[in-house]
Amino acid sequence: MSSSVGAPDLASRRSTREGHRVDPAHARSWQLVNALHTDRFDAAQLGHADAVILDIEDAVDDSQKDAARGLVLDWFGAGGSAWVRINDVTTPFWEDDVAALAGNPGLLGVILAKAEAPDQVVATFDRLGAKAPVVPLVESAVGIETAVAVAQARGAFRLAFGGGDYRKDTGAENTPLAMAYPRSRLVVASRIGGLTGPVDQPTVSTQHAAVREHCADAVSLGMTGKLCLDREQPALINEEMSPSAADVAWAFDFLAAFEAEGGVIKDGSYKPRIARANVIMERAAIYRIAPPSAE
């Protein structure tokens, strides 16, 4: 069991944090935590990440899969709750993962590694009791090309991008240009599937400037979340993937002026601007960013 937060009021702190957590449909920061590092579980759950993922896939050697899964179950049994990145359906570990996690009240959902086909999503969803949401992690050329079907699969909740494995599979570099195509494919697939914008790959660098730059690249393409590997990045990701104060001020002022003028469309630029302003205000409400008049 995790011991990083050992105060007697842990249950109360957990309850308070969960009560203020952003709905996972709109979660910006998704923090991956190695499932063998139980000392980090509580701190992650109580931290700034919108969503916490306990990783029993790539972060864990095959010889330790059972132990890692057991540690996650122990923590859930002690009152913890999180998402879990499970092994892909082609491995011998997938069946054990879904069998062990099905119906567990601590499970918020699963990240399905190396998703490449809709039937993989459906099988995972059904084996988990058709209750736990599934985030397909698309990490290959095949996955990128089948992303529309994956996004439309029953049980698919949001798409996520596994950039490291995608680059290994395709030989692409980690540059904005090289990553534009797979990111855009996931954005378009999410739109067609009726899902919230996809979750971007993690930034390995710990430099804030690099994280900000990568967030800006992802947001510019329509992505709305980002994986991360440590507890230092979530607050920064949340800031960068939320509407800025300037954006909210513009949207608020534009909609107020439009209403004051009788809500009359004056030229072809109005509808796109109205749509953008409404999206900004909706996201501002989700992330509790107050418009200027409320300050």
Side-chain angles (χ1 to χ4, degrees):
M1 185 188 305
S2 171
S3 60
S4 61
V5 180
D9 64 343
L10 177 57
S12 175
R13 296 176 67 186
R14 282 174 171 164
S15 178
T16 298
R17 179 65 185 96
E18 294 307 318
H20 289 86
R21 195 176 297 281
V22 170
D23 187 299
H26 304 288
R28 301 152 294 184
S29 53
W30 294 71
Q31 182 183 348
L32 286 157
V33 180
N34 187 321
L36 294 173
H37 296 169
T38 57
D39 58 313
R40 302 176 185 175
F41 289 7
D42 290 336
Q45 185 182 11
L46 298 175
H48 294 292
D50 285 344
V52 174
I53 308 165
L54 304 183
D55 188 0
I56 58 177
E57 195 241 350
D58 270 357
V60 177
D61 184 78
D62 288 357
S63 65
Q64 297 180 293
K65 299 286 189 184
D66 291 343
R69 189 185 309 111
L71 292 171
V72 169
L73 295 174
D74 288 346
W75 187 68
F76 283 170
S81 59
W83 292 70
V84 177
R85 176 159 76 165
I86 62 173
N87 294 277
D88 75 84
V89 298
T90 67
T91 69
F93 310 109
W94 174 81
E95 269 198 65
D96 290 338
D97 289 346
V98 293
L101 293 169
N104 194 302
L107 181 70
L108 301 181
V110 299
I111 313 300
L112 177 61
K114 300 173 178 61
E116 294 187 333
D119 62 324
Q120 296 173 343
V121 178
V122 174
T124 300
F125 184 62
D126 287 346
R127 293 288 290 272
L128 290 170
K131 294 180 181 179
V134 178
V135 173
L137 184 61
V138 181
E139 308 182 73
S140 67
V142 171
I144 290 297
E145 292 307 295
T146 60
V148 171
V150 169
Q152 294 175 314
R154 180 165 52 84
F157 184 69
R158 288 175 75 174
L159 300 181
F161 181 35
D165 279 346
Y166 172 81
R167 292 191 295 279
K168 182 173 67 175
D169 185 38
T170 63
E173 294 184 0
N174 190 18
T175 64
L177 179 61
M179 293 298 100
Y181 177 74
R183 282 167 159 172
S184 294
R185 286 282 298 182
L186 296 183
V187 169
V188 172
S190 296
R191 180 69 183 89
I192 293 171
L195 310 181
T196 307
V199 179
D200 193 28
Q201 63 181 326
T203 296
V204 177
S205 172
T206 58
Q207 297 297 315
H208 283 195
V211 177
R212 291 185 187 277
E213 181 181 349
H214 292 179
C215 284
D217 290 339
V219 169
S220 72
L221 293 170
M223 306 189 95
T224 59
K226 188 170 179 61
L227 296 166
C228 60
L229 304 175
D230 62 55
R231 58 183 299 189
E232 304 301 322
Q233 293 185 356
L236 183 58
I237 291 170
N238 291 346
E239 177 186 343
E240 293 298 314
M241 297 203 122
S242 300
S244 68
D247 286 338
V248 175
W250 170 83
F252 181 83
D253 291 344
F254 175 79
L255 293 174
F258 178 66
E259 184 178 346
E261 294 169 359
V264 177
I265 301 293
K266 295 183 177 180
D267 60 52
S269 72
Y270 266 64
K271 287 187 178 179
R273 285 190 289 164
I274 291 168
R276 177 172 180 265
N278 282 331
V279 168
I280 289 172
M281 293 306 294
E282 288 168 6
R283 290 175 62 80
I286 292 167
Y287 303 132
R288 304 178 185 91
I289 303 171
S293 64
E295 294 178 348

